[in-house]
């Protein structure tokens, strides 16, 4: 695992680099206490196309392997009220490895989430959406990546 920070964009060699990237980025300026990589429950696939509303904090991922769509984290609660757009890398590709960085409160409830992506085509790392979690209980979000 090695992130290349020498160019305009940070680049990762593998999906595992998302953890280091999200920890460096910080979730809402808070320390990341846990990173969870996305995997399709249907086929086990780990590459996705995404639609996201960065302003409202909502993300839907669709598995490249089987097409199964999943509203990530608590996105289902307000998906009908958002205006999601396709997530596209600066290179024009739209297939990503996905992981979520979680900032945790001292009681291990979730404070903030950041959805990190790594472009499969060129390794560019980014964050397609992040948002504050201001309700309890919130620990269940760790299982909704």
């Amino acid at each position: 695992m090695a992130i290349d920070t020498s160019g305009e964009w940070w680049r990762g060699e593998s999906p595992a680099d998302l953890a280091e990237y999200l920890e460096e980025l910080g979730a809402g300026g808070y320390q990341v206490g846990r990173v969870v990589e996305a995997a399709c429950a249907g086929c086990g696939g780990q590459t996705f196309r995404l639609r996201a509303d960065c302003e409202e904090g909502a993300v839907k991922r669709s598995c490249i392997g089987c097409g199964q769509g999943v509203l990530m984290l608590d996105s289902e609660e307000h998906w009908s009220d958002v205006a999601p757009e396709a997530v596209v890398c600066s290179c024009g590709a739209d297939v990503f490895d996905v992981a979520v960085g979680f900032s945790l409160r001292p009681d291990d409830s979730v404070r903030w989430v950041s959805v990190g992506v790594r472009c499969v085509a060129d390794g560019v790392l980014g964050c397609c959406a992040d948002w504050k979690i201001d309700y309890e209980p919130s620990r269940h979000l760790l299982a909704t990546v």
Side-chain angles (χ1 to χ4, degrees), residues 131-142:
W131 62 92
K132 181 179 182 178
I133 304 300
D134 58 1
Y135 58 84
E136 295 291 333
S138 59
R139 186 108 176 115
H140 69 283
L141 295 174
L142 292 165

Side-chain angles (χ1 to χ4, degrees), residues 30 103-106 109-113 131-134 138:
Y30 300 104
S103 169
L104 304 173
R105 294 183 182 92
S109 63
V110 177
R111 172 185 294 158
W112 199 281
V113 295
W131 62 92
K132 181 179 182 178
I133 304 300
D134 58 1
S138 59

